[in-house]
Amino acid sequence: MTHRDSTGPVIGLKLVTLLFTLSPELLFLGAGVKLKENGYDGLLVAINPRVPEDLKLITNIKEMITEASFYLFNATKRRVFFRNVQILVPATWTAHNYSRVRQESYDKANVIVAEQSEEHGDDPYTLQHRGCGQEGRYIHFTPSFLLNDELAAGYGARGRVFVHEWAHLRWGVFDEYNNDKPFYVNGQNEIQVTRCSSDITGVFVCEKGLCPHEDCIISKIFREGCTFLYNSTQNATGSIMFMPSLPSVVEFCNESTHNQEAPNLQNQVCSLRSTWDVITASSDLNHSLPVHGVGLPAPPTFSLLQAGDRVVCLVIDVSRKMAEGDRLLRLQQAAVLYLMQVVEAHTFVGIVTFDSKGEIRASLQQINSDNDRKLLVSYLPTAVSTDAETNICAGVKKGFEVVEERNGRADGSVLILVTSGADEHIANCLLTSMNSGSTIHSMALGSSAARKVGELSRLTGGLKFFIPDKFTSNGMTEAFIRISSGTGDIFQQSLQLESVYETVQPQHQLADTMTVDSAVGNDTLFLVTWQTGGPPEIALLDPSGRKYNTGDFIINLAFRTASLKIPGTAKHGHWTYTLNNTHHSPQALKVTVASRASSLAVSPATVEAFVERDSTYFPQPVIIYANVRKGLHPILNATVVATVEPEAGDPVVLQLLDGGAGADVIRNDGIYSRYFSSFAVSGSYSLTVHVLHSPSTSTLALPVPGNHAMYVPGYITNDNIQMNAPKKSGHRPVKERWGFSRVSSGGSFSVLGVPDSPHPDMFPPCKITDLEAVKVEDDIVLSWTAPGEDFDQGQTTSYEIRMSRSLWNIRDDFDNAILVNSSELVPQHAGTRETFTFSPKLVTHELDHELAEDAQEPYIVYVALRAMDRSSLRSAVSNIALVSMSLPPNSSPVVSRDDLILRGVLTTVGLIAILCLIMVVAHCIFNRKKRPSRKENETKFL
């Protein structure tokens, strides 16, 4: 079946103009949850292929989201609900007439269901990498959470938990509890538990039962063996972001119920705003009026999808422009690695080439052996054509013909499009591609092709890459390795361990050491490429001392590649390689190493590099992210370096950080990030991330940081303690003996409007997001992470610190808040921890006057700051910190209302017990007095 595009050039031009005006979120269909007439459509839930088949899992997912839809509808005041949901069933499960996937895949899912190692339990959580009010990556549930009904006692009903996580994912709100800071001293000098709202009641419990807070909190340290249990019956209706497991909780904390003093992530990241304030400011609720009437919406409808055979077609440009800059040679070398190593076994692969017309070079061939892989390599183009015209649509249509050979449709297939030519008629096949059901990954070689080709990827949910015209760049190889099957099975994916490229002088060497860590080693391939002539002299030494020479490698002189596949499992440890340039002129030599997991028992470390948005306008910066994990768990203390290559100019190297400051939102969550603003020219930029981790026991975060559903240890019910089953306790991971290294392409992004150099400074310091304030005697001690001259790089010039007793004043009218004298504070380099101490009573006469009226009463001081650079550009106002300036030091903390209630109960019980004891004693004495008189009377009577 051949695709024919019925739209003409004029209609196609109108279509592309319309599509270009749409937001990237709408264009990216794979993750496209859309809100229409109050209902969410397109929510994608994907089950990991490593999850054992269990149809009850599907049933419980449906029940959870149905319950969540009604709960969400009421919690948002009848504004939003779930209308249509897709559940992606693993291809490894038995087929039950499931619909075939189109462009949906596991790596595009909004919700994933995957196993989690024992040390991390069954906490549902949402991976949030962006700031307040911004969407997260995905929600994660374990199969055990969805199947084990007993866990509902600790987490609450599944539908309620889903709404808690959905608010994280969709609206960018954060948890209102804090396991690290479970209590605090409030503005009334009362010891309070971190919660929202503060109307939720409970009591302290220690080994012997109910106890006052003094037995649990000693010198502001929470004593081991103590816990705080909430009453199962409450009057408070909020908050869902605190404890949705309570039956009374049916809404989010709003302005009237929000606890601004609680030391939680919501207050820190969202500057003391309530969750409902953030949610109502979202585009979802801004554009959704409440549904009229009193009834509930219809339950969601569910579609069950399942992927079929994996089908891939390489669509390769062979027009005359491919002869420029060694483009064809670099493509051949990268395609050899893809076909021999990256593409997974049992995949059907075809090859198409095109110039002004398309040609099928290889129909679909299933990969079942190395011979099948070598056969496909033989079909790769060996020369460019004389045709100067590039007709991308002709190549894409031929690609559809190839993938349709399998099932008569392109649904679920993948096209990898590689082109160097600008095609003015690409609009003619945008609609065809969007409706094809195929995902198109695009690689643009050279700047002329980059912008328009990327639209094919954006419309079909594919990745897009820009490959600079530099032989010393390994970008095309890294791009091919990044393209995986998208099934979520990391045990089958090829992982890039090494990517080194260097121009080596004649009779000089490229020598280095790389690591094959204990989690990888199967199907390990070493690939050496060179630019001209014959291969360099190769010497490769494994950890046991075995040496591999050039003769052990398979040499392809036409493509200038030398490859060595290690049989079985490669030895774990340090491998050393040496490449000697025997050519008479300088050579660009490259070394690429890829491998797969060595065992199903241990998840390998992975890195996923990406940017916040794939296009921006100067001077808006780009935020670069790298998600570094072992399985699903964050890896800490890694050295993560991003390399950004522009169309023209030298690469920019940038270290990414996970410190919870600058571009990074949550400390130690395994997502490393940094602002990038070193724009040389307008055009496309390519991103690659290298990760290096030294041997360490502190590899994984325990527990996993971020936003979780709270596991409640127990409740107070009818004055009785009812404890839930203990939550799974974590254990420290085994020390990694060798460390590890990983490489990942982050695709490309484009920047427009960059002025000619030198351009004026238009980059301010970044917003300070981790300001903390602590009372030390009569002083306030502030601490924060220093921003830079340009966002989070360099060194800023000065700080402007302001304070107020009014939250509104400091948040909405910062310029008129009270200025703190910080002239002696010299800013440090970006990333350094700053501290500053001042006395609020000595700041200004204005504050002294405010305090004069009620000097004996405790009060709250709100503090915020911003930084200024040498061009007088100011950062955004920081997060707002507050500190309680309480009674003089000799006064002890006032007990909270909960403690007063508890003390009242205990006192009443004690008084009743004493009264009962007095009555018993009196009764006994009275009886003793009566006995002698009775005997006396009896004697007299006788």
Side-chain angles (χ1 to χ4, degrees):
M1 174 179 175
T2 303
H3 277 270
R4 299 189 183 277
D5 201 24
S6 60
T7 58
V10 176
I11 298 176
L13 182 60
K14 291 180 179 179
L15 171 68
V16 73
T17 303
L18 173 63
L19 292 172
F20 283 6
T21 62
L22 297 177
S23 67
E25 289 78 9
L26 292 177
L27 290 171
F28 184 50
L29 302 180
V33 176
K34 300 178 180 64
L35 181 64
K36 181 181 179 182
E37 297 177 354
N38 300 92
Y40 288 114
D41 296 324
L43 175 65
L44 179 61
V45 182
I47 303 172
N48 190 279
R50 291 288 164 185
V51 174
E53 183 168 0
D54 190 337
L55 295 183
K56 187 180 178 183
L57 200 57
I58 297 175
T59 300
N60 287 3
I61 290 172
K62 291 179 178 180
E63 291 177 355
M64 173 179 68
I65 298 178
T66 300
E67 179 188 7
S69 183
F70 300 143
Y71 187 57
L72 180 68
F73 183 69
N74 289 324
T76 57
K77 321 297 183 191
R78 304 180 60 81
R79 281 179 172 85
V80 293
F81 58 91
F82 298 110
R83 181 185 289 116
N84 297 309
V85 181
Q86 297 171 310
I87 301 177
L88 181 56
V89 178
T92 53
W93 286 22
T94 306
H96 289 283
N97 294 321
Y98 302 129
S99 300
R100 185 178 175 86
V101 299
R102 289 174 58 78
Q103 289 147 345
E104 303 85 3
S105 64
Y106 182 89
D107 54 5
K108 299 174 188 174
N110 313 107
V111 182
I112 61 172
V113 178
E115 298 283 4
Q116 193 156 258
S117 58
E118 291 183 1
E119 65 263 21
H120 296 280
D122 294 301
D123 279 354
Y125 72 89
T126 301
L127 189 64
Q128 288 181 270
H129 62 293
R130 301 165 72 192
C132 182
Q134 297 179 297
E135 289 189 51
R137 292 289 281 177
Y138 58 76
I139 298 171
H140 170 251
F141 295 109
T142 65
S144 179
F145 172 81
L146 293 169
L147 295 173
N148 185 356
D149 294 337
E150 295 179 1
L151 291 176
Y155 292 108
R158 296 189 188 103
R160 287 171 166 247
V161 173
F162 190 93
V163 172
H164 175 96
E165 300 303 329
W166 177 256
H168 285 315
L169 180 74
R170 184 71 177 183
W171 299 315
V173 295
F174 294 81
D175 283 331
E176 293 173 327
Y177 67 91
N178 189 339
N179 289 331
D180 295 329
K181 296 180 180 179
F183 70 94
Y184 64 99
V185 178
N186 70 2
Q188 304 303 314
N189 207 25
E190 299 172 336
I191 293 177
Q192 291 282 353
V193 175
T194 302
R195 55 191 162 178
C196 193
S197 74
S198 55
D199 293 332
I200 295 178
T201 59
V203 295
F204 284 99
V205 175
C206 44
E207 295 92 335
K208 299 178 181 179
L210 304 180
C211 56
H213 80 274
E214 290 92 342
D215 292 350
C216 280
I217 304 172
I218 302 172
S219 299
K220 296 188 177 182
I221 297 177
F222 203 66
R223 188 166 66 84
E224 188 176 354
C226 283
T227 188
F228 189 86
L229 297 185
Y230 295 92
N231 298 319
S232 60
T233 302
Q234 303 276 350
N235 293 321
T237 56
S239 169
I240 291 171
M241 300 315 295
F242 173 65
M243 192 182 289
S245 57
L246 290 171
S248 68
V249 171
V250 293
E251 62 183 12
F252 298 94
C253 261
N254 54 41
E255 186 175 351
S256 63
T257 59
H258 180 57
N259 182 4
Q260 299 170 350
E261 298 180 70
N264 54 38
L265 265 179
Q266 173 63 24
N267 279 331
Q268 177 188 329
V269 179
C270 294
S271 288
L272 310 184
R273 293 170 64 192
S274 71
T275 53
W276 184 241
D277 182 31
V278 176
I279 291 169
T280 52
S282 69
S283 59
D284 284 358
L285 270 70
N286 249 336
H287 299 97
S288 300
L289 296 174
V291 176
H292 294 298
V294 294
L296 293 173
T301 58
F302 295 89
S303 304
L304 301 181
L305 311 176
Q306 189 176 40
D309 295 324
R310 292 189 294 273
V311 179
V312 177
C313 184
L314 302 185
V315 181
I316 300 171
D317 184 356
V318 291
S319 66
R320 191 190 305 167
K321 291 184 72 66
M322 286 294 290
E324 301 174 7
D326 287 323
R327 291 173 180 172
L328 182 63
L329 175 60
R330 290 184 289 134
L331 165 64
Q332 291 165 338
Q333 293 172 345
V336 166
L337 178 67
Y338 179 77
L339 294 173
M340 293 301 299
Q341 166 72 17
V342 177
V343 65
E344 298 171 6
H346 311 304
T347 303
F348 290 86
V349 180
I351 299 175
V352 164
T353 58
F354 67 93
D355 41 30
S356 61
K357 58 184 181 300
E359 178 187 357
I360 299 175
R361 291 184 64 91
S363 296
L364 291 181
Q365 314 266 343
Q366 188 174 30
I367 296 178
N368 294 309
S369 67
D370 278 352
N371 287 332
D372 296 328
R373 295 179 183 273
K374 292 174 183 177
L375 179 62
L376 283 165
V377 169
S378 70
Y379 289 120
L380 289 172
T382 57
V384 299
S385 74
T386 57
D387 196 338
E389 185 181 350
T390 303
N391 188 339
I392 294 173
C393 288
V396 169
K397 290 178 181 179
K398 282 294 180 183
F400 288 148
E401 286 185 34
V402 170
V403 297
E404 288 172 351
E405 293 172 5
R406 184 64 188 158
N407 294 302
R409 296 186 301 172
D411 291 349
S413 65
V414 170
L415 266 58
I416 301 177
L417 171 65
V418 186
T419 182
S420 64
D423 184 356
E424 297 300 326
H425 304 293
I426 195 172
N428 292 342
C429 56
L430 287 179
L431 185 60
T432 304
S433 300
M434 187 169 61
N435 293 329
S436 67
S438 180
T439 298
I440 302 177
H441 304 297
S442 63
M443 298 184 198
L445 282 60
S447 58
S448 61
R451 295 169 193 168
K452 295 184 178 179
V453 173
E455 293 306 315
L456 284 170
S457 298
R458 186 180 297 182
L459 288 169
T460 60
L463 302 172
K464 67 186 184 75
F465 304 90
F466 162 68
I467 313 299
D469 278 332
K470 302 172 186 176
F471 202 90
T472 53
S473 168
N474 211 16
M476 199 176 318
T477 300
E478 291 154 358
F480 267 108
I481 296 179
R482 173 66 190 270
I483 298 173
S484 67
S485 63
T487 64
D489 190 351
I490 60 174
F491 294 97
Q492 296 298 321
Q493 293 178 14
S494 183
L495 306 173
Q496 188 171 359
L497 311 186
E498 183 81 333
S499 178
V500 174
Y501 39 93
E502 185 177 314
T503 300
V504 180
Q505 297 300 318
Q507 305 308 316
H508 283 67
Q509 296 178 339
L510 168 60
D512 209 341
T513 300
M514 56 81 56
T515 302
V516 176
D517 58 275
S518 57
V520 296
N522 284 358
D523 200 19
T524 303
L525 180 73
F526 287 80
L527 180 70
V528 176
T529 63
W530 61 95
Q531 193 171 6
T532 59
E537 288 183 354
I538 305 172
L540 177 64
L541 201 65
D542 77 5
S544 68
R546 178 178 176 179
K547 189 174 183 179
Y548 299 89
N549 296 310
T550 310
D552 297 309
F553 283 69
I554 298 175
I555 309 296
N556 186 328
L557 291 175
F559 295 165
R560 296 166 199 162
T561 64
S563 59
L564 172 67
K565 183 165 285 190
I566 306 300
T569 302
K571 290 188 179 297
H572 298 137
H574 302 304
W575 292 64
T576 302
Y577 56 85
T578 303
L579 308 182
N580 185 21
N581 180 18
T582 58
H583 204 261
H584 62 273
S585 61
Q587 276 267 48
L589 303 180
K590 303 178 188 176
V591 178
T592 304
V593 184
S595 185
R596 286 185 166 84
S598 59
S599 167
L600 297 179
V602 181
S603 298
T606 60
V607 55
E608 177 196 12
F610 57 97
V611 293
E612 183 180 24
R613 60 175 66 90
D614 64 1
S615 63
T616 189
Y617 287 86
F618 183 89
Q620 183 72 26
V622 170
I623 300 179
I624 298 173
Y625 298 98
N627 186 9
V628 186
R629 306 188 106 63
K630 191 175 180 67
L632 290 168
H633 312 301
I635 294 177
L636 312 183
N637 306 319
T639 301
V640 183
V641 177
T643 302
V644 181
E645 291 194 74
E647 289 184 9
D650 296 328
V652 179
V653 177
L654 193 65
Q655 182 171 356
L656 309 185
L657 304 173
D658 188 18
D664 195 67
V665 176
I666 300 177
R667 177 182 175 86
N668 288 341
D669 64 348
I671 298 182
Y672 298 73
S673 57
R674 202 78 181 269
Y675 287 103
F676 176 77
S677 58
S678 300
F679 304 128
V681 293
S682 293
S684 297
Y685 290 72
S686 176
L687 170 65
T688 302
V689 168
H690 294 248
V691 177
L692 182 65
H693 195 279
S694 301
S696 171
T697 55
S698 59
T699 298
L700 303 185
L702 291 176
V704 178
N707 291 279
H708 303 249
M710 179 194 292
Y711 186 85
V712 182
Y715 296 97
I716 302 297
T717 304
N718 297 326
D719 297 327
N720 294 319
I721 300 173
Q722 291 187 345
M723 300 301 294
N724 293 321
K727 187 180 175 182
K728 291 181 182 178
S729 59
H731 59 271
R732 289 291 172 184
V734 179
K735 180 178 179 179
E736 172 60 59
R737 182 177 175 186
W738 299 284
F740 67 85
S741 61
R742 296 289 186 272
V743 183
S744 174
S745 172
S748 63
F749 59 90
S750 61
V751 183
L752 301 178
V754 179
D756 294 335
S757 296
H759 49 72
D761 180 11
M762 300 183 68
F763 303 123
C766 66
K767 175 182 176 180
I768 295 164
T769 59
D770 61 347
L771 174 66
E772 295 181 351
V774 178
K775 175 180 173 291
V776 178
E777 296 182 346
D778 288 334
D779 293 336
I780 294 177
V781 179
L782 304 179
S783 62
W784 66 93
T785 301
E789 169 78 11
D790 296 336
F791 298 106
D792 54 7
Q793 299 173 58
Q795 186 171 348
T796 192
T797 303
S798 63
Y799 293 110
E800 179 184 0
I801 303 174
R802 293 185 180 270
M803 60 179 290
S804 177
R805 294 183 65 190
S806 164
L807 173 62
W808 177 88
N809 191 23
I810 197 77
R811 185 171 63 193
D812 301 330
D813 194 18
F814 179 81
D815 289 337
N816 290 320
I818 301 169
L819 182 66
V820 177
N821 184 1
S822 58
S823 58
E824 296 183 0
L825 176 59
V826 179
Q828 302 183 70
H829 196 273
T832 307
R833 196 68 183 169
E834 302 266 30
T835 58
F836 178 70
T837 303
F838 70 97
S839 173
K841 293 186 178 181
L842 300 178
V843 172
T844 62
H845 296 295
E846 181 182 350
L847 187 59
D848 285 338
H849 178 72
E850 288 183 25
L851 299 178
E853 300 176 2
D854 51 357
Q856 299 302 314
E857 295 296 326
Y859 60 96
I860 294 177
V861 172
Y862 300 94
V863 187
L865 78 159
R866 61 186 175 191
M868 182 186 299
D869 68 10
R870 59 191 172 193
S871 300
S872 298
L873 297 176
R874 292 180 172 88
S875 70
V877 176
S878 71
N879 66 295
I880 300 171
L882 63 81
V883 62
S884 301
M885 303 302 294
S886 50
L887 297 175
N890 59 352
S891 62
S892 59
V894 179
V895 295
S896 66
R897 183 185 66 178
D898 295 332
D899 276 340
L900 289 173
I901 294 172
L902 175 60
R903 285 189 171 184
V905 172
L906 294 176
T907 301
T908 304
V909 171
L911 289 173
I912 293 173
I914 292 170
L915 184 60
C916 291
L917 181 61
I918 292 172
M919 293 177 64
V920 170
V921 172
H923 180 71
C924 291
I925 293 172
F926 179 74
N927 283 341
R928 286 180 182 175
K929 285 184 178 180
K930 285 184 69 177
R931 286 193 191 106
S933 65
R934 188 178 298 167
K935 287 181 181 179
E936 216 175 288
N937 290 337
E938 288 175 356
T939 304
K940 289 180 179 179
F941 178 75
L942 289 170

